[in-house]
Amino acid sequence: MDSTRVTEHPTSHERPQPGAGPADPCGALLRTQDMLRMPPQQPRQSPLPSAALPAQAGMADVPGEPGGTPAAGGTELQGAGAGAGTDAGGASATSGPEHAQPAVTESDPHPHRPRPAPESIPVQPGPGSEQERISSGSGAPGDPGGPGTSGEGERRQGQGVAPGSPMPMRRDGDRLRFVGAATRRIARGIDLDEIVMGLCRATVPTFSDAILVFLREPLPVGDERPTGPVVLRLRRTDRIPEERETEGGFLPALPPEPGGELSAVTAELCEVRPGGALAEVLRGVRPVFADAPAARAALPELLGDEADLTVPPGRRAILAPLRGRRRVIGAALFLRRPERPAFESDDLLVAAQLATHSALGIDKAVLYGREAYIADELQRTMLPETLPRPTGVRLASRYLPAAETARVGGDWYDAIPLPGSRVALVVGDVMGHSMTSAAIMGQLRTTAQTLAGLDLPPQEVLHHLDEQAQRLGTDRMATCLYAVYDPVSHRITIANAGHPPPVLLHLGGRAEVLRVPPGAPIGVGGVDFEAVELDAPAGATLLLYTDGLVESRLRDVWTGIEQLREKLAATAQLTGPDHPPPLEALCDEVLDMLGPGDRDDDIALLAARFDGIAPSDVAYWFLEPEEMAPGRARRLARHALSRWGLEELSDSVELLISEVVTNAVRYASRPVTLRLLRTDVLRCEVTDDVPQLPRLRQARATDEGGRGLYLVNKLARRWGATRLSAGKVVWFELNRG
């Protein structure tokens, strides 16, 4: 049996807290029928001392409402239970020595004001207890053990009732109050496991000694029609422990079950045979006793060959189908041990209510789980799965949703490699935290990637994003920051559209907020964006973020930015002035500045560590578009490789450069640029003013050309072609030894 899917949880019983009121649904206050039958004119008996109240044994793990007062509302059945406890039950709230009201005095301004009926669940007595004798007419006054003798006080103290044994709910009000408390416990759950656990803990041990919950595998979602046979899987079991220490608990040690544990089920999976007994019971929807003919035939199919050992004899088991909105989704089996009182006919109504509330909750939990899965998938596809590894810069990112129940939002980040070993760093925030905001974010992110591929300046990218936002709708507003880092020139160009300014952490530990023109948000329209070019020294770290990191109900945005700057400076001091802090650890430290009340918005964080490319690792030339250009390119590349100690790559580099440069000078009208970069790989870039991109094709045997890119594709580690605003760049990379 798969232990990860099937769990058996003995019900825990905690010691009652001081001052627990009668509204606690876990309470178990013993009421005697002789007081309920007392004539109205009979004088009220004096209340017993507190020591005469029975110990609260066998209480269900169903917490009551805060404050110890009966909850208003709840469910319809709960409201009916409150009325039944005062009307149908006679003087249940005011009769009985345990609940006798104080004598009417002159100081009491409202002597006839009705008292609220306690919302409690009585303890179930064992065989031969006082309540059963009184109900049956036995135990007359004067008889040993009857009312009016000393034995009555002992039984009222719990000595005549088997401790820990549930007492039958003799009154409709008790059942209704129990259903109200149990359904509240079930309704608290959000996911599937919480709802199933709520059903188990609400019924054991107040209603039953054990419970088995079976659910369909897989569970249908919404209106979908599952195909294939109906399979039930044992989802959870709960029971009263077989052995329990009396010290520190309410339940004494219980005798071991002679036929084995109540949860001894041999099969975890059960396939419901069409037309079988189990299928008929499930189709009937209504709970049935285990001794019914249909249930007797269905239980072996559900539990396996050990059904006779698992199910106690008589009416001590109820099989309740769990029906959701459209179909039966499982079944619940309520069990009582042979020494316990049997279920009554009214208990079938209680089981039906519990099964209905649980099934509807499971249906909603499955739908909620599907929506959460869709939201997670949407957010995952909107954000980059992995960050690229461009030359001269290291990247790290974080994304935190505003809440676990709403995992989608409008915040995004991106890192886009650009021609010339540059990289575009983007972070943005769409207004709102809905699926619509996430969809708009995805469209803007796709537009930004397309514009970045055209190698447009940052201010032009924001201008086109502004136009796209206006096409999406008049109320589509977003902020965005777009930066382009060049590792060769060690410069960064930034344009801002209403976004918080970035923070630059220098190698020495100094953190500064970059002075970037704020600009207007995307979607306003008719606004020009301005770009600034700043130094990006090697070893520095640029931090781009959304306003959820620095702004909340507890602080304004500029206070948060100052706290972020101080946090970065303090973190950098831990590693010393010559070593920048690790990038991943730095992101974690930044998120640690968030307090408990600071998660009002989504958070997107993008950190870039500028390593740059040293000038000694760059070779750059201009070639005139003439026939001698390919030969000159080969000689220049050979000298550069010799200077770098990469002579073993000369043959391959010269061959590939000759092919690429030849294709460039054939159609170019302006000088062609050739650049070699030595990093972890050797990268060659050839730029011309022709916008048409070369295409790889298979040359025929009679063709004189068309084999240049075929050689590049075979010999290079990677290669590509990117269109620029005025031309294109063709590049390839080779491994260094």
Side-chain angles (χ1 to χ4, degrees), residues 427-429 462 477-482 495-501 516-522 524 527-529 545-547 551 557:
V427 64
D429 184 5
L462 295 183
M477 305 286 291
T479 62
C480 183
L481 192 144
Y482 189 92
N496 191 9
H499 204 77
V516 180
I522 291 174
V524 174
V527 179
D528 292 333
F529 299 98
Y545 53 90
T546 55
D547 57 355
E551 185 180 19
V557 60

Side-chain angles (χ1 to χ4, degrees), residues 206-229:
T206 304
F207 183 69
S208 62
D209 292 332
I211 183 174
L212 306 173
V213 181
F214 296 84
L215 296 180
R216 291 185 65 165
E217 180 73 20
L219 279 169
V221 180
D223 297 332
E224 69 179 17
R225 295 183 177 273
T227 59

Side-chain angles (χ1 to χ4, degrees), residues 659-681:
E659 295 294 338
V660 176
V661 172
T662 299
N663 185 74
V665 299
R666 179 177 297 178
Y667 306 102
S669 58
R670 296 181 181 178
V672 176
T673 60
L674 172 64
R675 185 167 71 171
L676 293 180
L677 302 175
R678 182 185 64 169
T679 57
D680 53 342
V681 297

Side-chain angles (χ1 to χ4, degrees), residues 132 432 506 700:
E132 291 184 351
H506 292 270
R700 294 173 297 182

